[in-house]
Amino acid sequence: MAIPVFENGTAEVRLEEELTNAVILKFVQDNHLKVVDEKTANSVIRGKVTQYQNEYRVTMAVQVTFKDLVKNRELWSGEIVKSANYYVQDVPGQKAQTELDGRQEAINKISDEILSRSVEGW
């Protein structure tokens, strides 16, 4: 399976790289599907970050397609939207965080969802 760098349809710099790296890491850790170069891959996951909002709650939307390159058919596609709250001051049970903390949590949730949708059929 190949995971080329996602497209970034937002003004957030490096967001596509952060998300792509997180998705690749999830697949490597899961070890159900081997991540390889697109030229030798049987399947490919492509994505585009379509939304990024930040108001003490990071919300990201990503359009994703998982395609079988051998049979030339789409295995699944859809939009994944995930959010993560962050608090700029300490609150009971949680230390103060930054937008980057919220961003990383939202990326983690999206990459978990991509992995889950992709391996459930195998």
Side-chain angles (χ1 to χ4, degrees):
M1 112 170 306
I3 306 173
V5 176
F6 283 26
E7 294 178 56
N8 188 352
T10 74
E12 290 296 312
V13 178
R14 298 195 60 229
L15 188 57
E16 72 283 3
E17 295 170 19
E18 292 174 25
L19 181 57
T20 304
N21 289 339
V23 172
I24 290 170
L25 183 60
K26 292 285 182 189
F27 277 91
V28 169
Q29 290 172 339
D30 178 73
N31 205 25
H32 272 89
L33 299 170
K34 185 177 179 184
V35 179
V36 297
D37 185 81
E38 193 168 355
K39 293 173 187 162
T40 58
N42 303 3
S43 58
V44 64
I45 289 182
R46 295 190 192 283
K48 179 178 182 178
V49 182
T50 58
Q51 176 187 0
Y52 183 88
Q53 292 180 329
N54 170 39
E55 293 172 6
Y56 302 110
R57 176 184 179 95
V58 172
T59 301
M60 287 178 58
V62 182
Q63 186 64 41
V64 182
T65 303
F66 184 28
K67 185 174 182 180
D68 182 328
L69 297 175
V70 175
K71 296 179 181 175
N72 195 28
R73 65 183 175 102
E74 196 173 277
L75 299 172
W76 68 267
S77 70
E79 183 178 50
I80 299 172
V81 180
K82 297 291 181 184
S83 297
N85 294 329
Y86 64 94
Y87 302 95
V88 294
Q89 294 181 351
D90 288 351
V91 296
Q94 188 172 345
K95 295 228 178 256
Q97 296 177 311
T98 67
E99 175 190 352
L100 291 178
D101 295 316
R103 179 170 166 156
Q104 191 55 50
E105 186 179 339
I107 285 172
N108 195 39
K109 289 178 178 180
I110 289 171
S111 58
D112 279 340
E113 179 79 16
I114 292 171
L115 173 67
S116 176
R117 286 189 189 186
S118 299
V119 299
E120 70 184 13
W122 296 114

